[in-house]
Amino acid sequence: MKMLRKLIGFPTVSRDSNLELIYYVRDCLKPYDADIRLTHDDEKRKANLFATLGPRGEGGIALSGHTDVVPTEGQAWDTDPFNMVEKDGRLYGRGTADMKGFIACVLALVPEFMERGLKSPLHLAFSYDEEVGCIGVGRLISDLRRAGIRPRSCIVGEPTEMRPVIAHKGKKGYRCTVRGLAGHSAYAPRGVNAVEYAAEAIAFLKNLARRHRDQGPYDRGFDVAYTTVHSGVIHGGTALNVIPHECTFDFEFRHLPGDDPDRLLHEFNDYVRSRLEPEMRAVHATAGFLIEPLSEIPVLDTGPEAEVVALAQELSGSSEIGKVSFGTEGSQFHRAGIPTVVCGPGSIAQAHKPNEYVDLDQIARCEDFLRRLMERMCKA
């Protein structure tokens, strides 16, 4: 697929600029009299693109996707991750599934949408920095709000194997910095070991995770049916014979709709303040914990009765509706009053892995989905 090959060739890892890709998409849309809006990050290194095709005015359907991808360093790829390779009915490359496959299908069919003649607006929303906390889309939505633009509904093309998804968990991420007191390890009782106290705090988080696994609450509609607690990054210490004076670790709650992540944070905070800090400060008065927010993704919880759900079922040819544990930008569109579902080609099981791929069959199903959308949106 020519368009997907082109998009994969832009190495839009979140730490880097996506402007080359965004400008390419802008240039692809210009011949179709698209109304194009760009919103940039503070450094002007990245941008969202929002384009309206066809009639201007209220309503319309937004097709949404993020342009950034996760890094490939440290992964054992069999091919160049930024040079798409077709093999055995699969398209390999970073972003083929997550989620340039969907964006490529949309862009490849724009000429056909325009040739057939749109009766209502078709909006394209392509964002930056989704992979590091759904950061960019917030600016895109704020710009639309100021401009008085609100699509009637939104379809986010994250990989769901073309099955409509109506709900996903929310996420709250935090960074915890543990301050101790350095010294010679031969005199460990005279220092405050930040690594060991971080380990105790992480063990407490693990027990919270076990409690939710064993006691719920549960929603069996989700692929992981309970709220999860996860510690993902830790840094601390300088040498074995030095008492570590600082340790940082990042953790997250991925919570079911209706479950309160702030209650979990309160439990964790109460534990470190009442159990760990008094012991630390008995040795050194300024030792302790600093907990700072890193990122937040709201829950998506679109009611099964919503018009966009029936639309996605019709377009996908599937009566199924699903719920997933991974977060998407769909929750931010939904929070902004734009009813949203998630439905796109490929499997989340391929996301973020070496040798990421999307099946050609999934691309074909996505094209069929979009052509059915044409039947609804275009003139006879």
Side-chain angles (χ1 to χ4, degrees):
M1 186 178 180
K2 183 178 178 182
M3 181 59 73
L4 182 54
R5 185 182 304 278
K6 183 69 176 180
L7 297 183
I8 296 301
F10 295 109
T12 51
V13 176
S14 303
R15 64 171 178 261
D16 300 321
S17 173
N18 74 334
L19 290 181
E20 191 176 357
L21 182 151
I22 288 294
Y23 294 158
Y24 171 76
V25 173
R26 180 189 63 186
D27 292 344
C28 287
L29 297 176
K30 277 184 177 179
Y32 302 102
D33 191 33
D35 181 10
I36 299 172
R37 309 175 67 87
L38 300 185
T39 49
H40 293 80
D41 69 343
D42 291 339
E43 290 76 31
K44 307 297 183 184
R45 294 179 60 247
K46 303 176 184 180
N48 304 300
L49 180 146
F50 185 87
T52 300
L53 297 161
R56 310 302 193 254
E58 296 183 1
I61 294 173
L63 303 177
S64 174
H66 62 82
T67 64
D68 61 318
V69 297
V70 297
T72 60
E73 287 85 358
Q75 295 185 342
W77 282 75
D78 296 330
T79 60
D80 179 352
F82 297 108
N83 182 19
M84 192 184 77
V85 173
E86 180 179 347
K87 182 180 179 181
D88 299 328
R90 295 172 174 174
L91 301 174
Y92 290 87
R94 173 57 87 223
T96 48
D98 186 18
M99 58 172 297
K100 290 179 178 178
F102 177 76
I103 295 174
C105 288
V106 171
L107 292 174
L109 290 178
V110 162
E112 195 170 334
F113 271 98
M114 300 308 294
E115 182 180 346
R116 296 183 62 173
L118 285 160
K119 295 183 292 186
S120 59
L122 177 66
H123 307 287
L124 310 183
F126 302 145
S127 67
Y128 69 85
D129 278 1
E130 187 272 350
E131 295 288 7
V132 290
C134 294
I135 294 171
V137 73
R139 292 197 173 191
L140 184 151
I141 292 171
S142 295
D143 178 64
L144 297 186
R145 187 180 293 115
R146 287 191 297 268
I149 300 171
R150 191 170 79 174
R152 183 172 181 175
S153 57
C154 178
I155 298 169
V156 176
E158 289 276 8
T160 67
E161 298 179 299
M162 296 308 301
R163 299 186 182 97
V165 164
I166 64 170
H168 65 63
K169 293 179 179 179
K171 170 191 169 183
K172 285 196 172 184
Y174 300 91
R175 174 159 295 157
C176 185
T177 301
V178 186
R179 299 181 302 271
L181 177 64
H184 196 295
S185 62
Y187 299 94
R190 299 178 185 176
V192 178
N193 190 318
V195 167
E196 291 180 353
Y197 281 105
E200 290 192 73
I202 291 171
F204 181 85
L205 290 169
K206 182 61 178 178
N207 284 331
L208 287 181
R210 291 190 179 103
R211 189 181 77 197
H212 279 78
R213 179 197 65 193
D214 297 340
Q215 301 177 22
Y218 302 108
D219 183 335
R220 302 296 182 185
F222 281 87
D223 43 6
V224 177
Y226 48 87
T227 293
T228 58
V229 185
H230 164 75
S231 301
V233 178
I234 185 168
H235 301 285
T238 56
L240 181 58
N241 63 349
V242 177
I243 301 167
H245 72 282
E246 185 173 281
C247 183
T248 63
F249 63 93
D250 299 346
F251 65 96
E252 68 176 24
F253 306 125
R254 290 189 182 258
H255 58 97
L256 297 173
D259 204 359
D260 182 8
D262 293 335
R263 175 180 53 82
L264 295 177
L265 181 64
H266 177 77
E267 282 191 61
F268 176 68
N269 189 67
D270 183 65
Y271 171 75
V272 300
R273 305 301 178 203
S274 64
R275 295 286 301 276
L276 300 183
E277 283 190 340
E279 186 175 293
M280 299 166 73
R281 289 176 177 173
V283 178
H284 187 58
T286 63
F289 284 75
L290 175 65
I291 304 167
E292 301 172 289
L294 278 181
S295 60
E296 178 180 3
I297 301 174
V299 298
L300 174 66
D301 195 14
T302 303
E305 73 286 350
E307 179 182 297
V308 69
V309 176
L311 173 65
Q313 290 175 311
E314 177 187 330
L315 300 181
S316 65
S318 173
S319 61
E320 296 181 35
I321 50 175
K323 301 178 181 182
V324 294
S325 296
F326 63 89
T328 78
E329 295 171 333
S331 56
Q332 295 197 42
F333 285 103
H334 191 72
R335 177 182 276 186
I338 305 169
T340 299
V341 296
V342 183
C343 188
S347 169
I348 197 64
Q350 296 306 317
H352 302 188
K353 290 183 176 180
N355 300 320
E356 178 183 349
Y357 69 83
V358 64
D359 288 311
L360 284 169
D361 174 67
Q362 286 288 306
I363 295 294
R365 288 179 62 184
C366 185
E367 291 173 340
D368 290 343
F369 179 101
L370 293 169
R371 287 197 167 94
R372 292 188 189 107
L373 181 61
M374 281 185 211
E375 295 294 328
R376 292 182 61 98
M377 296 190 68
C378 294
K379 301 170 184 176

Short mmCIF file of all heavy atoms in Angstrom, two decimals, residues 186-230:
data_model
loop_
_atom_site.label_atom_id
_atom_site.label_comp_id
_atom_site.label_asym_id
_atom_site.label_seq_id
_atom_site.Cartn_x
_atom_site.Cartn_y
_atom_site.Cartn_z
N ALA A 186 29.02 0.55 54.92
CA ALA A 186 29.41 -0.14 56.15
C ALA A 186 28.68 0.42 57.36
O ALA A 186 28.59 -0.23 58.41
CB ALA A 186 30.92 -0.03 56.35
N TYR A 187 28.14 1.63 57.20
CA TYR A 187 27.41 2.28 58.29
C TYR A 187 25.96 2.54 57.84
O TYR A 187 25.38 3.61 58.06
CB TYR A 187 28.10 3.58 58.68
CG TYR A 187 29.51 3.35 59.16
CD1 TYR A 187 30.58 3.43 58.28
CD2 TYR A 187 29.76 2.98 60.49
CE1 TYR A 187 31.87 3.18 58.71
CE2 TYR A 187 31.05 2.73 60.92
CZ TYR A 187 32.10 2.83 60.04
OH TYR A 187 33.38 2.58 60.47
N ALA A 188 25.37 1.50 57.23
CA ALA A 188 24.03 1.63 56.65
C ALA A 188 22.98 2.17 57.63
O ALA A 188 22.13 2.98 57.23
CB ALA A 188 23.59 0.29 56.09
N PRO A 189 23.00 1.78 58.92
CA PRO A 189 21.97 2.30 59.83
C PRO A 189 22.04 3.81 60.05
O PRO A 189 21.08 4.41 60.53
CB PRO A 189 22.24 1.54 61.13
CG PRO A 189 22.95 0.30 60.72
CD PRO A 189 23.80 0.72 59.57
N ARG A 190 23.19 4.44 59.70
CA ARG A 190 23.32 5.87 59.91
C ARG A 190 22.83 6.69 58.70
O ARG A 190 22.81 7.91 58.77
CB ARG A 190 24.78 6.22 60.20
CG ARG A 190 25.32 5.54 61.45
CD ARG A 190 26.79 5.88 61.67
NE ARG A 190 27.33 5.13 62.81
CZ ARG A 190 28.61 5.17 63.19
NH1 ARG A 190 29.47 5.93 62.50
NH2 ARG A 190 29.04 4.46 64.23
N GLY A 191 22.49 6.02 57.63
CA GLY A 191 21.96 6.69 56.45
C GLY A 191 20.49 6.34 56.25
O GLY A 191 19.88 5.63 57.05
N VAL A 192 19.94 6.86 55.17
CA VAL A 192 18.56 6.54 54.78
C VAL A 192 18.62 6.03 53.35
O VAL A 192 18.94 6.78 52.42
CB VAL A 192 17.63 7.77 54.87
CG1 VAL A 192 16.23 7.41 54.41
CG2 VAL A 192 17.61 8.34 56.27
N ASN A 193 18.36 4.75 53.18
CA ASN A 193 18.51 4.08 51.89
C ASN A 193 17.27 4.33 51.02
O ASN A 193 16.23 3.69 51.20
CB ASN A 193 18.74 2.59 52.10
CG ASN A 193 19.14 1.88 50.82
OD1 ASN A 193 18.59 2.13 49.77
ND2 ASN A 193 20.10 0.98 50.94
N ALA A 194 17.41 5.26 50.07
CA ALA A 194 16.26 5.63 49.24
C ALA A 194 15.78 4.47 48.38
O ALA A 194 14.57 4.33 48.14
CB ALA A 194 16.63 6.82 48.36
N VAL A 195 16.70 3.62 47.93
CA VAL A 195 16.30 2.48 47.10
C VAL A 195 15.45 1.50 47.90
O VAL A 195 14.42 1.00 47.43
CB VAL A 195 17.55 1.79 46.52
CG1 VAL A 195 17.18 0.43 45.92
CG2 VAL A 195 18.20 2.67 45.46
N GLU A 196 15.85 1.23 49.12
CA GLU A 196 15.09 0.27 49.93
C GLU A 196 13.71 0.81 50.28
O GLU A 196 12.72 0.05 50.26
CB GLU A 196 15.88 -0.07 51.20
CG GLU A 196 17.14 -0.88 50.91
CD GLU A 196 17.92 -1.22 52.17
OE1 GLU A 196 17.57 -0.72 53.26
OE2 GLU A 196 18.89 -1.98 52.04
N TYR A 197 13.61 2.10 50.59
CA TYR A 197 12.29 2.65 50.89
C TYR A 197 11.42 2.71 49.64
O TYR A 197 10.20 2.49 49.70
CB TYR A 197 12.42 4.02 51.54
CG TYR A 197 12.77 3.92 53.02
CD1 TYR A 197 14.05 4.20 53.48
CD2 TYR A 197 11.80 3.52 53.94
CE1 TYR A 197 14.38 4.08 54.83
CE2 TYR A 197 12.11 3.40 55.29
CZ TYR A 197 13.39 3.68 55.73
OH TYR A 197 13.70 3.56 57.07
N ALA A 198 12.04 2.96 48.48
CA ALA A 198 11.28 2.89 47.23
C ALA A 198 10.76 1.48 47.00
O ALA A 198 9.62 1.28 46.56
CB ALA A 198 12.16 3.33 46.06
N ALA A 199 11.60 0.49 47.31
CA ALA A 199 11.18 -0.90 47.14
C ALA A 199 9.99 -1.24 48.03
O ALA A 199 9.06 -1.95 47.61
CB ALA A 199 12.36 -1.83 47.44
N GLU A 200 9.99 -0.73 49.27
CA GLU A 200 8.84 -0.96 50.15
C GLU A 200 7.58 -0.31 49.59
O GLU A 200 6.48 -0.88 49.68
CB GLU A 200 9.15 -0.44 51.55
CG GLU A 200 10.18 -1.25 52.31
CD GLU A 200 10.23 -0.86 53.78
OE1 GLU A 200 9.29 -1.21 54.52
OE2 GLU A 200 11.20 -0.18 54.17
N ALA A 201 7.73 0.88 49.04
CA ALA A 201 6.58 1.57 48.46
C ALA A 201 6.05 0.81 47.25
O ALA A 201 4.83 0.67 47.08
CB ALA A 201 6.96 3.00 48.09
N ILE A 202 6.95 0.31 46.41
CA ILE A 202 6.53 -0.45 45.24
C ILE A 202 5.86 -1.75 45.66
O ILE A 202 4.88 -2.19 45.04
CB ILE A 202 7.74 -0.71 44.32
CG1 ILE A 202 8.19 0.61 43.69
CG2 ILE A 202 7.41 -1.73 43.24
CD1 ILE A 202 9.51 0.51 42.94
N ALA A 203 6.37 -2.37 46.72
CA ALA A 203 5.73 -3.59 47.22
C ALA A 203 4.30 -3.30 47.68
O ALA A 203 3.39 -4.12 47.49
CB ALA A 203 6.55 -4.19 48.36
N PHE A 204 4.07 -2.12 48.28
CA PHE A 204 2.72 -1.74 48.67
C PHE A 204 1.82 -1.61 47.44
O PHE A 204 0.67 -2.08 47.44
CB PHE A 204 2.75 -0.43 49.46
CG PHE A 204 1.40 0.03 49.93
CD1 PHE A 204 0.87 -0.44 51.13
CD2 PHE A 204 0.64 0.92 49.17
CE1 PHE A 204 -0.39 -0.02 51.56
CE2 PHE A 204 -0.61 1.34 49.60
CZ PHE A 204 -1.12 0.87 50.80
N LEU A 205 2.34 -0.98 46.40
CA LEU A 205 1.56 -0.86 45.15
C LEU A 205 1.24 -2.24 44.58
O LEU A 205 0.14 -2.47 44.07
CB LEU A 205 2.34 -0.03 44.13
CG LEU A 205 2.48 1.47 44.44
CD1 LEU A 205 3.48 2.11 43.50
CD2 LEU A 205 1.13 2.18 44.36
N LYS A 206 2.20 -3.16 44.65
CA LYS A 206 1.95 -4.51 44.16
C LYS A 206 0.83 -5.18 44.94
O LYS A 206 0.00 -5.92 44.36
CB LYS A 206 3.24 -5.34 44.26
CG LYS A 206 3.09 -6.77 43.73
CD LYS A 206 2.72 -6.78 42.25
CE LYS A 206 2.61 -8.19 41.70
NZ LYS A 206 2.21 -8.21 40.27
N ASN A 207 0.77 -4.93 46.24
CA ASN A 207 -0.32 -5.51 47.04
C ASN A 207 -1.66 -4.90 46.66
O ASN A 207 -2.69 -5.60 46.68
CB ASN A 207 -0.04 -5.33 48.52
CG ASN A 207 1.01 -6.29 49.04
OD1 ASN A 207 1.16 -7.39 48.51
ND2 ASN A 207 1.77 -5.88 50.05
N LEU A 208 -1.68 -3.60 46.30
CA LEU A 208 -2.92 -3.01 45.79
C LEU A 208 -3.34 -3.71 44.50
O LEU A 208 -4.53 -3.97 44.28
CB LEU A 208 -2.72 -1.52 45.51
CG LEU A 208 -2.62 -0.56 46.69
CD1 LEU A 208 -2.45 0.88 46.18
CD2 LEU A 208 -3.84 -0.65 47.59
N ALA A 209 -2.36 -4.02 43.65
CA ALA A 209 -2.67 -4.71 42.39
C ALA A 209 -3.25 -6.09 42.67
O ALA A 209 -4.24 -6.49 42.03
CB ALA A 209 -1.39 -4.82 41.55
N ARG A 210 -2.65 -6.81 43.61
CA ARG A 210 -3.17 -8.15 43.94
C ARG A 210 -4.59 -8.07 44.50
O ARG A 210 -5.44 -8.92 44.21
CB ARG A 210 -2.25 -8.83 44.95
CG ARG A 210 -0.89 -9.21 44.40
CD ARG A 210 -0.15 -10.10 45.39
NE ARG A 210 1.17 -10.50 44.89
CZ ARG A 210 2.31 -9.97 45.29
NH1 ARG A 210 2.31 -8.99 46.21
NH2 ARG A 210 3.46 -10.38 44.78
N ARG A 211 -4.85 -7.05 45.32
CA ARG A 211 -6.19 -6.92 45.90
C ARG A 211 -7.25 -6.74 44.82
O ARG A 211 -8.32 -7.36 44.87
CB ARG A 211 -6.21 -5.74 46.86
CG ARG A 211 -7.50 -5.65 47.69
CD ARG A 211 -7.47 -4.45 48.60
NE ARG A 211 -7.73 -3.21 47.88
CZ ARG A 211 -7.44 -1.99 48.35
NH1 ARG A 211 -6.83 -1.86 49.52
NH2 ARG A 211 -7.72 -0.93 47.65
N HIS A 212 -6.95 -5.90 43.83
CA HIS A 212 -7.92 -5.70 42.76
C HIS A 212 -8.06 -6.96 41.90
O HIS A 212 -9.16 -7.28 41.45
CB HIS A 212 -7.53 -4.50 41.91
CG HIS A 212 -7.93 -3.20 42.52
ND1 HIS A 212 -7.23 -2.61 43.56
CD2 HIS A 212 -8.99 -2.38 42.28
CE1 HIS A 212 -7.83 -1.48 43.90
NE2 HIS A 212 -8.89 -1.32 43.15
N ARG A 213 -6.95 -7.65 41.70
CA ARG A 213 -7.03 -8.90 40.95
C ARG A 213 -7.92 -9.92 41.65
O ARG A 213 -8.73 -10.61 41.01
CB ARG A 213 -5.62 -9.47 40.77
CG ARG A 213 -5.56 -10.80 40.03
CD ARG A 213 -4.21 -11.47 40.28
NE ARG A 213 -4.05 -11.85 41.69
CZ ARG A 213 -2.89 -12.22 42.23
NH1 ARG A 213 -1.79 -12.25 41.50
NH2 ARG A 213 -2.83 -12.56 43.51
N ASP A 214 -7.80 -9.99 42.97
CA ASP A 214 -8.49 -11.04 43.73
C ASP A 214 -9.88 -10.64 44.20
O ASP A 214 -10.74 -11.50 44.40
CB ASP A 214 -7.65 -11.43 44.95
CG ASP A 214 -6.30 -12.02 44.58
OD1 ASP A 214 -6.15 -12.48 43.43
OD2 ASP A 214 -5.38 -11.98 45.42
N GLN A 215 -10.12 -9.35 44.40
CA GLN A 215 -11.38 -8.90 45.00
C GLN A 215 -12.21 -7.97 44.12
O GLN A 215 -13.33 -7.65 44.46
CB GLN A 215 -11.08 -8.20 46.34
CG GLN A 215 -10.35 -9.06 47.35
CD GLN A 215 -10.01 -8.29 48.61
OE1 GLN A 215 -10.62 -7.28 48.94
NE2 GLN A 215 -9.00 -8.75 49.34
N GLY A 216 -11.64 -7.52 42.99
CA GLY A 216 -12.39 -6.61 42.15
C GLY A 216 -12.37 -5.19 42.69
O GLY A 216 -11.51 -4.84 43.50
N PRO A 217 -13.33 -4.37 42.23
CA PRO A 217 -14.50 -4.69 41.41
C PRO A 217 -14.12 -5.14 40.00
O PRO A 217 -13.04 -4.83 39.52
CB PRO A 217 -15.27 -3.37 41.38
CG PRO A 217 -14.23 -2.31 41.58
CD PRO A 217 -13.23 -2.90 42.52
N TYR A 218 -15.08 -5.86 39.36
CA TYR A 218 -14.84 -6.42 38.04
C TYR A 218 -15.84 -5.88 37.03
O TYR A 218 -16.99 -5.57 37.37
CB TYR A 218 -14.97 -7.95 38.09
CG TYR A 218 -14.05 -8.64 39.07
CD1 TYR A 218 -14.54 -9.20 40.24
CD2 TYR A 218 -12.69 -8.74 38.81
CE1 TYR A 218 -13.71 -9.83 41.13
CE2 TYR A 218 -11.83 -9.38 39.70
CZ TYR A 218 -12.35 -9.92 40.87
OH TYR A 218 -11.51 -10.55 41.76
N ASP A 219 -15.39 -5.81 35.80
CA ASP A 219 -16.26 -5.61 34.65
C ASP A 219 -15.80 -6.61 33.61
O ASP A 219 -14.77 -6.43 32.96
CB ASP A 219 -16.17 -4.18 34.11
CG ASP A 219 -17.13 -3.92 32.95
OD1 ASP A 219 -17.51 -4.89 32.26
OD2 ASP A 219 -17.49 -2.74 32.72
N ARG A 220 -16.56 -7.70 33.45
CA ARG A 220 -16.12 -8.80 32.60
C ARG A 220 -16.14 -8.45 31.12
O ARG A 220 -15.65 -9.22 30.30
CB ARG A 220 -17.01 -10.03 32.85
CG ARG A 220 -17.02 -10.50 34.31
CD ARG A 220 -15.65 -10.98 34.77
NE ARG A 220 -15.68 -11.47 36.16
CZ ARG A 220 -14.61 -11.85 36.83
NH1 ARG A 220 -13.43 -11.81 36.25
NH2 ARG A 220 -14.71 -12.25 38.08
N GLY A 221 -16.66 -7.29 30.78
CA GLY A 221 -16.61 -6.86 29.39
C GLY A 221 -15.22 -6.46 28.95
O GLY A 221 -14.92 -6.44 27.75
N PHE A 222 -14.34 -6.14 29.90
CA PHE A 222 -12.97 -5.74 29.58
C PHE A 222 -12.07 -6.95 29.42
O PHE A 222 -12.29 -7.99 30.07
CB PHE A 222 -12.41 -4.84 30.68
CG PHE A 222 -12.89 -3.42 30.60
CD1 PHE A 222 -14.07 -3.04 31.22
CD2 PHE A 222 -12.17 -2.47 29.90
CE1 PHE A 222 -14.53 -1.73 31.14
CE2 PHE A 222 -12.60 -1.15 29.83
CZ PHE A 222 -13.78 -0.79 30.44
N ASP A 223 -11.02 -6.80 28.58
CA ASP A 223 -10.08 -7.90 28.40
C ASP A 223 -9.25 -8.14 29.65
O ASP A 223 -8.77 -9.25 29.87
CB ASP A 223 -9.18 -7.66 27.17
CG ASP A 223 -8.67 -6.22 27.06
OD1 ASP A 223 -8.91 -5.43 27.98
OD2 ASP A 223 -8.03 -5.91 26.04
N VAL A 224 -9.01 -7.12 30.47
CA VAL A 224 -8.53 -7.29 31.85
C VAL A 224 -9.62 -6.69 32.72
O VAL A 224 -9.86 -5.48 32.70
CB VAL A 224 -7.18 -6.59 32.09
CG1 VAL A 224 -6.76 -6.72 33.54
CG2 VAL A 224 -6.11 -7.16 31.16
N ALA A 225 -10.29 -7.52 33.50
CA ALA A 225 -11.61 -7.17 34.04
C ALA A 225 -11.57 -6.34 35.31
O ALA A 225 -12.61 -6.09 35.92
CB ALA A 225 -12.40 -8.46 34.31
N TYR A 226 -10.39 -5.87 35.73
CA TYR A 226 -10.28 -5.13 36.99
C TYR A 226 -9.26 -4.01 36.83
O TYR A 226 -8.45 -3.99 35.87
CB TYR A 226 -9.85 -6.08 38.13
CG TYR A 226 -8.68 -6.97 37.79
CD1 TYR A 226 -7.36 -6.53 37.97
CD2 TYR A 226 -8.89 -8.24 37.25
CE1 TYR A 226 -6.29 -7.35 37.64
CE2 TYR A 226 -7.83 -9.06 36.91
CZ TYR A 226 -6.52 -8.61 37.11
OH TYR A 226 -5.47 -9.41 36.76
N THR A 227 -9.29 -3.08 37.74
CA THR A 227 -8.31 -1.99 37.78
C THR A 227 -6.91 -2.57 38.05
O THR A 227 -6.75 -3.43 38.90
CB THR A 227 -8.69 -0.98 38.86
OG1 THR A 227 -9.90 -0.33 38.47
CG2 THR A 227 -7.60 0.05 39.09
N THR A 228 -5.91 -2.08 37.31
CA THR A 228 -4.55 -2.57 37.48
C THR A 228 -3.65 -1.48 38.05
O THR A 228 -3.88 -0.29 37.85
CB THR A 228 -3.95 -3.08 36.16
OG1 THR A 228 -3.97 -2.01 35.19
CG2 THR A 228 -4.75 -4.25 35.63
N VAL A 229 -2.63 -1.92 38.78
CA VAL A 229 -1.60 -1.04 39.35
C VAL A 229 -0.26 -1.54 38.85
O VAL A 229 0.04 -2.73 38.95
CB VAL A 229 -1.64 -1.04 40.89
CG1 VAL A 229 -0.65 -0.02 41.45
CG2 VAL A 229 -3.06 -0.76 41.40
N HIS A 230 0.56 -0.64 38.32
CA HIS A 230 1.78 -1.05 37.63
C HIS A 230 2.90 -0.07 37.92
O HIS A 230 2.70 1.14 37.86
CB HIS A 230 1.51 -1.10 36.12
CG HIS A 230 2.74 -1.15 35.26
ND1 HIS A 230 3.50 -2.28 35.11
CD2 HIS A 230 3.31 -0.19 34.48
CE1 HIS A 230 4.50 -2.01 34.28
NE2 HIS A 230 4.42 -0.76 33.88
#
